[in-house]
Every structure is written in structure tokens, then in C-alpha cells.
Amino acid sequence: MLAQRTALFKSSGTAAASAAAKAVAASGKEIIDLTAGEIWSHTAPSVREGAVAAINCNINRYTDTLGLIELRHALARKISAETAQPWSADEIAVTTGAKQALFNAAMVIVNPGDEVLIPAPYWTTFPAQIVVAGGTPVFIETRHTNFVPRLADLTAAVTRKTKAILINTPNNPTGAVYDRDTLANMAQLAIDHELWIIFDECYGAFAHAPHVHHPIVTLAPRARDRTLIVNSFSKSLALTGWRIGYLAGPKAVISAVRALQSHTTSNPNVIAQHALLHHLETGDPAFQLQLQRQVSDARALGLSILTALSSVPQPAAQGGFYFYLDLGGLQRSAKANGRELNADDVAGTLLMDAGVATVSGTAFGDPAGIRLSYGIDLHLLDQGLRRLTATLDTWN
Ligand code: PLP
């Protein structure tokens, strides 16, 4: 009865992990939830003020499909400052979070049968959207190269059908931050093979020193006319529920996105747009700096606890707010004892025995990893990671 396309995707693995945690908690068990793709925080005062002012002014109508022109100008200034290149409002679409920006991008550049290169482990939504657009995800394994794709592997995967390369740095779930050379090489590959670059920099505000986030168009200005920048305020300002983000790219792409978005969601929520506009216009960096400090403190605390793990290497956690644990060693010792152990088993045992909810790497195409979010309250993080390390070490 349902359309055939419903067979192409299932509910997001991260959402499923969080639902499983809630279900166990509802049964009365105390759970520390490390599945969240968001930061525990209050709302930036400037965002609150902008929203309240818009509500008090009875702002309640549709805006232009691509967002308020003032907001698109403000975003153009933001992107110009971040990339050290001039950007204009007609190169920007305001979207309902980065997820819609990515979906729009896939729908306007991918033809049926086109291939899109995606480094793996990957954020679960990337391949799902490519498949919905009729394309074929082609995964580039990064697990044996510190979660950074090798140019040789990317090059070997290019075929006549390759249409785009999806780059996410800082990376969800692995926490890798791609360095200059990696990004410059990826840009050159895209230029040489006439590929689009979808550049998801949602975690760009969280690159942990000495690692630095580089916008790809700054490193490779010649790739700009084939690059679609995806970003949002979900992570950088802890506004996941407000659903506001953007896509920046060539005018022809933005114009196609206008047509698509006009038939799907129309404009993003008007109150969120005004709130963000107020935030960008008042230009106070204090809130974001405080959020960055919070994430950095949580990272330091987490690493100090995870260092006790005897059979799991310390995660790199170069950017974002996830620890990605490599279970390869644990799996090998389980195998030596005649047992198979995959990431789902580990996540299941952590949930039931330690009361700690994590996301199995299978959600990211990797049966040998688990993702832990450190965007939560420090006290809970401390408790959760101590329980987790104690449980994992019983598998030695
Ligand atoms: N891109 C990546 C890599 C993400 O991890 C997420 C959310 O987890 C998104 C995009 C979607 O962000 P938004 O909430 O702004 O739609």
C-alpha cells in the first residue's frame, strides 16, 4: 500500500537510540543519556529577546520562501567573515535546520543513478537523503586512517557517475577535524572530476585546539562555484529545537532551492528567523564563547575518565561534542574467546547493565564503534562515563 520509496529509508539510527533510552527510562530504570546530538544549555539572551520582540510585534505571516532578506544579508556578512570572501544574500537560502539544507542540496543536484562519495563512518542522514533523491551513496572507509579519508581511496572511488562528494568536518560521529591538506586535496579532486562539494560545517564552532576548522572555499577559492555550504545554529548556539539553518552556494542552486522549498515547507519559522536576525545584528559573541568553553570542559573531563579504559583507545575528539570509541580491540579479544561482539551488543549491554545510553556505530555504517555525546550536564557526564568504563572493562 505504501509507496516503494518508503523501503529506501528507515527512521534515523540516532533517533532510534534515543527512543530506546527513553523507553528503558520509562520502565523505571535510571538512565544517563549520552545519545543526544545537542548541547545541554539555556537559550542565548539575544535569541530570546529577538523572539519575544517578534511575538510582541504580532509577527505571524509568511516571509519570502528563502527567508527574510535582512536575515539573508546578515548571513552573507557572517559567511563573508568566516570564509574571507564576499558573499551576497542571493547566494543564501534560510532553511529549517541544516537537515533541510542538505535535503534541498541533494534534491537539486542529484539525478537518479548519480553517485555521491561519503566518508564512513557517516552521519546517518547523509546516505538516506541521497537515496531519497535517487542517488547512490558510495562509502569511503576511514576507520584505518584516523577517520580522515585518503585521497587515493577517494580517487579510486570516482566513476563516470560520481556527482558529488559530501564533506562533514568537524565530523559526526567520529570527531575528526580535516586538516588543510585533506580539504585542499578533496577540493582539487572535485575540480578535476567536476563534482559538487556538499560541505557540512554544522560543528565548525567546536574545533578543539590545536585543531582548527577550515571552510573549504577559503582553502580552495577555485572550488567555490561547485561548493554548497551547509550550516545551522542547532549546535553552535544550542538551538536544535528552533529549526533554523542555511544553505550557501551558487545563485542557480539557490534559485532551484527556492522553487523546491516553495512547494515543501515555504519559509522557515518566522519567529526563529527574527530571533536569529536579532542575534546576528547585536553581534554579541559571549554566549557562543561560553558554550564553547562548556563543551571544551566536558571534553577534558570525559577524556580524563576514558583514559582509564584498558582495551579501548582514547578517542581523538578533535571537534564537535562526541567521543567515538573504537571497539576493534574488544571485538578481537571477544573473538579469541569464541564470542562475536558487535557495537549493537555493546550499546545494548551499556544501556541495560550500566544504565548508559549510547549510539551504536551501526547507525553510522560502522559495527565497531559507539558514539557518546558530551553535550550533557558535567555531573551526569562524569557519572555516565564512570559507569561506562567500569562495564566496558569487564569485557577484557
Ligand atoms: N549535519 C550533521 C553532521 C549533524 O550532525 C546534524 C544533526 O545532528 C545536522 C546536520 C542537522 O542539523 P539541524 O538540527 O540543524 O537540522
Side-chain angles (χ1 to χ4, degrees):
M1 209 81 95
L2 294 176
Q4 286 167 1
R5 97 169 55 79
T6 57
L8 300 176
F9 51 87
K10 55 185 177 33
S11 199
S12 133
T14 46
S18 149
K22 288 198 171 68
V24 176
S27 72
K29 192 171 168 66
E30 188 242 337
I31 298 294
I32 295 181
D33 190 350
L34 304 182
T35 66
E38 56 193 349
I39 303 173
W40 172 82
S41 167
H42 62 268
T43 309
S46 51
V47 172
R48 280 207 309 266
E49 282 157 22
V52 169
I55 292 169
N56 287 339
C57 288
N58 283 310
I59 293 204
N60 56 8
R61 313 279 291 271
Y62 291 125
T63 68
D64 182 88
T65 296
L66 292 186
L68 295 162
I69 190 64
E70 300 85 343
L71 178 55
R72 293 171 69 204
H73 281 301
L75 288 170
R77 287 193 293 276
K78 171 185 184 285
I79 302 169
S80 303
E82 287 172 354
T83 59
Q85 286 170 4
W87 286 77
S88 60
D90 52 6
E91 296 172 290
I92 293 156
V94 187
T95 56
T96 300
K99 222 173 226 184
Q100 187 183 29
L102 287 163
F103 187 67
N104 286 344
M107 292 301 278
V108 305
I109 64 170
V110 174
N111 280 317
D114 283 351
E115 296 174 356
V116 177
L117 306 184
I118 306 179
Y122 48 78
W123 181 49
T124 171
T125 293
F126 292 146
Q129 292 189 342
I130 298 303
V131 166
V132 172
T136 305
V138 174
F139 300 116
I140 310 298
E141 199 42 64
T142 66
R143 145 168 282 287
H144 303 296
T145 49
N146 294 327
F147 299 122
V148 175
R150 279 197 326 170
L151 182 61
D153 294 336
L154 290 163
T155 309
V158 174
T159 71
R160 274 185 309 108
K161 292 186 190 159
T162 311
K163 187 62 170 289
I165 173 163
L166 214 157
I167 304 178
N168 171 218
T169 180
N171 187 272
N172 176 11
T174 67
V177 174
Y178 297 177
D179 63 17
R180 283 172 172 274
D181 286 351
T182 301
L183 288 170
N185 286 337
M186 289 172 114
Q188 192 57 48
L189 180 89
I191 293 169
D192 293 346
H193 296 276
E194 299 186 2
L195 311 179
W196 287 104
I197 298 170
I198 303 175
F199 189 71
D200 179 333
E201 55 174 358
C202 284
Y203 296 89
F206 305 104
H208 307 299
H211 303 281
V212 176
H213 171 64
H214 302 286
I216 198 164
V217 293
T218 311
L219 298 181
R222 285 195 310 125
R224 173 159 164 187
D225 60 1
R226 54 181 66 258
T227 301
L228 309 182
I229 298 176
V230 171
N231 206 339
S232 78
F233 299 92
S234 299
K235 320 287 173 176
S236 60
L237 289 179
L239 290 177
T240 36
W242 290 60
R243 312 306 305 132
I244 188 110
Y246 58 84
L247 180 70
K251 290 174 195 165
V253 170
I254 299 303
S255 157
V257 163
R258 169 186 289 285
L260 176 67
Q261 199 160 294
S262 77
H263 296 298
T264 53
T265 56
S266 299
N267 59 270
N269 179 294
V270 68
I271 302 300
Q273 288 194 60
H274 278 279
L276 252 302
L277 177 59
H278 182 71
H279 171 79
L280 293 171
E281 281 178 342
T282 49
D284 180 6
F287 182 84
Q288 190 169 311
L289 287 172
Q290 179 234 305
L291 213 55
Q292 287 164 334
R293 257 196 311 274
Q294 176 185 326
V295 165
S296 159
D297 289 349
R299 174 179 178 273
L301 171 75
L303 287 177
S304 73
I305 299 171
L306 292 173
T307 196
L309 281 168
S310 46
S311 50
V312 176
Q314 183 90 331
Q318 299 168 344
F321 44 86
Y322 304 113
F323 296 125
Y324 196 66
L325 300 189
D326 180 358
L327 305 177
L330 268 187
Q331 290 179 324
R332 280 188 293 279
S333 41
K335 201 171 189 132
N337 293 325
R339 278 190 308 131
E340 287 297 330
L341 189 67
N342 76 24
D344 289 347
D345 303 328
V346 174
T349 306
L350 286 171
L351 181 61
M352 299 316 293
D353 292 3
V356 178
T358 59
V359 184
S360 162
T362 53
F364 313 114
D366 175 27
I370 50 169
R371 191 191 79 176
L372 324 171
S373 168
Y374 53 93
I376 67 164
D377 166 73
L378 278 191
H379 174 67
L380 287 176
L381 181 67
D382 184 292
Q383 254 188 294
L385 291 182
R386 283 184 200 285
R387 287 199 218 161
L388 175 138
T389 46
T391 304
L392 281 188
D393 273 343
T394 60
W395 269 311
N396 277 336

